[in-house]
Amino acid sequence: MSSKQAWKKCTFCNSGRKPCLTCGGSGKTMPGWQKCNNCNGFGSTICTGCGGSGGKWETIWVPE
């Protein structure tokens, strides 16, 4: 058997980032609509499933 590598898109995120659950994706939290401490004001956090890459390489075995 031979193998080849294929890029598989992460099913848990959108291009390596997920919406912040603390601020709901706005980047701001109450009181006074200050910068969200969880996402640092970006509104999204790095995906823990793919480490922020947006996917992973997967080995596919091909019969000869």
Side-chain angles (χ1 to χ4, degrees):
M1 280 192 151
S2 61
S3 65
K4 66 178 184 175
Q5 296 286 318
W7 181 257
K8 297 290 184 178
K9 190 174 184 308
C10 182
T11 58
F12 300 109
C13 67
N14 184 14
S15 299
R17 302 201 61 88
K18 294 177 14 175
C20 179
L21 298 177
T22 305
C23 65
S26 69
K28 308 277 185 192
T29 57
M30 292 291 278
W33 295 107
Q34 299 172 348
K35 179 174 70 170
C36 176
N37 289 330
N38 189 41
C39 66
N40 204 22
F42 288 109
S44 62
T45 56
I46 293 175
C47 176
T48 54
C50 65
S53 65
K56 62 180 178 177
W57 287 104
E58 190 173 277
T59 303
I60 298 174
W61 295 97
V62 181
E64 293 184 56

